[in-house]
Amino acid sequence: MTMQWWRDAVIYQVYPRSFADGDGDGVGDIAGIRARLGHLRDLGVDAIWMSPWYPSPMADAGYDVSDFRDIDPVFGDLSEAEELIAEAHEAGIRIIIDIVPNHISSEHPWFKAALKSEEAPERDYFWFRKSQNMPTKWIGEFGGTAWTRVDDDTWYLHLFTPEQPDLNWEHPAVRSEFESILRFWFDRGADGIRIDSAALLFKDPALPEVTDGEPHPFHDLDAVHDVYRSWRRIADEYPDRALIGEVWMPDVERFTNYLRPDELHAAFNFDFLGCAWDPYLMRSCIDRTLDAHARVGAPPTWVLSNHDVTRHVTRYGRADTTFSFENNLDGTPVDLELGTRRARAAALLTLSLPGSAYVYQGEELGLWENESIPEDQIQDPMYARRGHTRDGCRVPLPWSGDEPPFDFTTGAPWLPQPAEWKDRTVQAQTGDPSSMLELYRSAIRLRTFKDQEFAWLDRGEGVLAWTRGSDFACVLNLSGAPVPLPEHRTVLLASGPLDGDLLPQDTAVWLSLRK
Ligand code: GLC
């Protein structure tokens, strides 16, 4: 394994509830992941990022943590987690765990103590305020108000659901608790930490309203960098550990502040994730990403999907191919064939740009968003507050068989799977050279160019093309008409059928150039 593995790794996101169920209760678990580790080994990924697996009342699918040093019984127990880490390491796969520092569960002992008495020291670990009216009109991250009243004149702050009270990061006890949690997991072999809502930790204690042109009261306050510098010092005490931030930030300068040499190692590129399927916008997004990361010496990341956003087969099949939480496109017409063709091309793009690539479970199977989950089965708390559910991308994986639950579970899956996924199971796609799964397997296997220098290749309007070193090129045709391939020795991989020596629209190829 190379040093600084996070610089060019393929990192696979496991959403434990929906990966594989080992005990038949319909919810994925560690036993299921261990039993299916072979899938990840065959895919060839370098690391797994596990969404939260800690004890939680599951008000926000585990992003409401009540104990960071244990595992929720629905997923297993701590010794199984340790065994999973060991088995993954034996298979050459690193493990990244998810830490949620902005808030904890209202069932966490700290919050329970804080509620019990105004004098409890834990009261200061949160944002309690006395006021007749709601202390601010802040809109929370899921929409809706950000304060809940506990008695006549006392409120507490929660940027997400009321079950996720925000922590007060000015308090030294909060800082030292999380430093100890990092050590707890590094000591157990975690190779990296994904940091949830990484830019939200600090709030302006004067509690001003959000005003255009004024500093934001809870997004990206400068004090947060000091926390990540201290986390970096801890990570550096261990060999080869990586800190990866979930930083949603339209301003790319402010974004890369998180990636300065003494802060986080990497952060998710949501600018790219939300970008339209358009040659000019994509080219400028890639340039912006490469320039900004080069300035701080951090590796770019390429993310197409995760557990919070509409799956990209669906996004790329819509008339509007952008993504943002503000612009809800649920239920707008989708051409899944088009979306799949573009998703195949996008895979060759993200896996050949410099930096690391993230694969969200199921994208290697070409899964689309399940937009027809019956309302009474929706569990995502965002739905009530914003009218958009993230459950459509969280549907359990189809492994084999012709009908749901496709061997995900022996019971009833916690969210319904589309019957049409019978062609998208791991079993159905294995060995089929035209399948999404075999495309991902081949692409990951062929990424031997990953330490070679990147350069744009000019192939005319609407064509994105680049080389890595002297032997490799990727060409993606977004021009609206077939285009000729550059001179090459062989086609290593193509996202779709070629038309003789022409590259059709919405298709990408990897070429070996050497004569
Ligand atoms: C992050 C997570 C999301 C969660 C939220 C609150 O954005 O990715 O799933 O709901 O934080 O923890």
Side-chain angles (χ1 to χ4, degrees):
M1 295 195 209
T2 55
M3 291 293 282
Q4 304 206 328
W5 57 274
W6 59 86
R7 290 194 157 268
D8 54 20
V10 177
I11 300 173
Y12 184 97
Q13 182 187 354
V14 168
Y15 193 68
R17 304 181 73 74
S18 300
F19 188 73
D21 176 20
D23 65 2
D25 66 356
V27 178
D29 49 32
I30 297 177
I33 300 168
R34 289 173 66 192
R36 300 282 188 184
L37 216 45
H39 172 62
L40 302 179
R41 202 193 37 230
D42 294 348
L43 191 55
V45 301
D46 302 295
I48 310 173
W49 148 33
M50 311 277 305
S51 278
W53 51 6
Y54 317 105
S56 163
M58 305 287 169
D60 184 19
Y63 283 92
D64 48 321
V65 178
S66 51
D67 179 359
F68 274 105
R69 296 183 182 80
D70 206 349
I71 300 292
D72 195 279
V74 81
F75 299 131
D77 61 28
L78 193 56
S79 67
E80 284 181 88
E82 288 172 344
E83 285 183 46
L84 169 64
I85 294 173
E87 286 164 8
H89 286 168
E90 272 161 39
I93 299 173
R94 308 203 187 234
I95 298 270
I96 297 164
I97 56 148
D98 206 321
I99 293 287
V100 188
N102 180 68
H103 44 268
I104 55 178
S105 164
S106 51
E107 294 297 310
H108 188 287
W110 276 5
F111 194 70
K112 290 211 263 189
L115 276 188
K116 231 182 228 155
S117 139
E118 282 192 32
E119 274 71 55
E122 288 86 354
R123 194 86 167 185
D124 296 335
Y125 299 178
F126 300 91
W127 288 86
F128 282 91
R129 281 292 183 279
K130 287 214 178 279
S131 166
Q132 282 310 313
N133 303 313
M134 192 171 286
T136 67
K137 299 195 189 72
W138 296 355
I139 304 293
E141 298 294 298
F142 290 164
T145 56
W147 297 90
T148 288
R149 199 198 282 264
V150 291
D151 60 34
D152 280 356
D153 65 348
T154 309
W155 305 74
Y156 70 89
L157 174 70
H158 51 85
L159 292 182
F160 295 89
T161 70
E163 293 82 10
Q164 295 165 293
D166 277 52
L167 288 165
N168 171 16
W169 274 87
E170 310 281 352
H171 202 294
V174 171
R175 293 184 64 138
S176 62
E177 170 68 356
F178 276 85
E179 291 176 2
S180 142
I181 292 166
L182 292 191
R183 287 204 163 85
F184 178 90
W185 285 103
F186 284 150
D187 287 341
R188 274 164 187 74
D191 301 283
I193 309 280
R194 179 261 187 190
I195 305 163
D196 187 80
S197 304
L200 299 181
L201 273 42
F202 284 84
K203 283 90 196 175
D204 181 341
L207 303 184
E209 291 301 343
V210 178
T211 314
D212 271 353
E214 297 291 321
H216 199 283
F218 57 86
H219 278 181
D220 190 34
L221 271 63
D222 286 333
V224 76
H225 295 289
D226 193 41
V227 169
Y228 297 136
R229 286 192 190 101
S230 70
W231 287 22
R232 177 61 177 257
R233 286 193 292 274
I234 293 171
D236 285 346
E237 290 170 20
Y238 297 79
D240 282 348
R241 307 299 154 106
L243 301 172
I244 301 156
E246 187 207 15
V247 182
W248 292 86
M249 189 87 50
D251 180 332
V252 78
E253 294 289 336
R254 302 282 313 179
F255 173 83
T256 43
N257 281 347
Y258 289 76
L259 301 175
R260 288 175 290 202
D262 58 348
E263 298 194 39
L264 308 183
H265 298 84
F268 301 115
N269 187 349
F270 293 121
D271 189 25
F272 175 76
L273 185 152
C275 182
W277 187 254
D278 170 280
Y280 306 101
L281 296 173
M282 281 188 125
R283 162 97 196 218
S284 65
C285 175
I286 294 169
D287 273 333
R288 201 162 51 240
T289 300
L290 297 178
D291 289 352
H293 287 74
R295 265 179 271 139
V296 286
T301 66
W302 306 102
V303 188
L304 291 164
S305 281
N306 68 26
H307 66 294
D308 291 330
V309 308
T310 307
R311 283 192 177 273
H312 60 276
V313 164
T314 298
R315 290 198 326 261
Y316 290 157
R318 288 176 174 158
D320 180 345
T321 51
T322 60
F323 178 83
S324 76
F325 288 109
E326 289 68 39
N327 183 18
N328 184 350
L329 298 168
D330 295 355
T332 58
V334 182
D335 177 342
L336 285 178
E337 210 181 291
L338 177 66
T340 302
R341 185 158 70 242
R342 291 174 169 172
R344 293 176 62 87
L348 296 198
L349 171 131
T350 52
L351 290 166
S352 67
L353 286 168
S356 62
Y358 285 79
V359 177
Y360 173 51
Q361 68 175 39
E363 86 172 59
E364 81 283 17
L365 304 177
L367 301 188
W368 58 84
E369 188 82 0
N370 183 358
E371 294 196 272
S372 46
I373 300 176
E375 202 164 346
D376 61 358
Q377 290 185 44
I378 291 179
Q379 303 204 12
D380 179 11
M382 188 186 269
Y383 186 65
R385 300 181 144 240
R386 221 177 211 169
H388 163 75
T389 175
R390 299 168 295 177
D391 285 345
C393 69
R394 299 174 175 179
V395 173
L397 292 189
W399 290 95
S400 53
D402 289 328
E403 52 189 45
F406 299 117
D407 280 339
F408 163 74
T409 177
T410 52
W414 72 282
L415 286 174
Q417 301 157 305
E420 299 80 14
W421 282 1
K422 66 177 190 316
D423 300 328
R424 305 260 164 162
T425 64
V426 173
Q427 185 188 44
Q429 298 192 45
T430 295
D432 171 359
S434 70
S435 71
M436 186 73 90
L437 178 57
E438 293 298 350
L439 181 76
Y440 269 82
R441 285 178 177 162
S442 303
I444 293 171
R445 197 178 56 242
L446 288 166
R447 274 178 102 240
T448 48
F449 50 76
K450 62 189 182 186
D451 55 357
Q452 304 280 307
E453 199 162 338
F454 169 93
W456 286 108
L457 188 65
D458 183 14
R459 299 299 300 165
E461 259 192 55
V463 180
L464 298 186
W466 54 86
T467 52
R468 302 291 304 273
S470 57
D471 186 32
F472 176 87
C474 175
V475 186
L476 166 64
N477 180 7
L478 301 177
S479 75
V483 295
L485 291 177
E487 213 181 302
H488 59 277
R489 184 167 61 94
T490 45
V491 174
L492 298 168
L493 200 56
S495 69
L498 302 183
D499 180 2
D501 230 14
L502 293 179
L503 181 65
Q505 185 186 354
D506 288 328
T507 307
V509 273
W510 283 5
L511 304 173
S512 167
L513 302 175
R514 205 166 284 150
K515 289 269 147 43

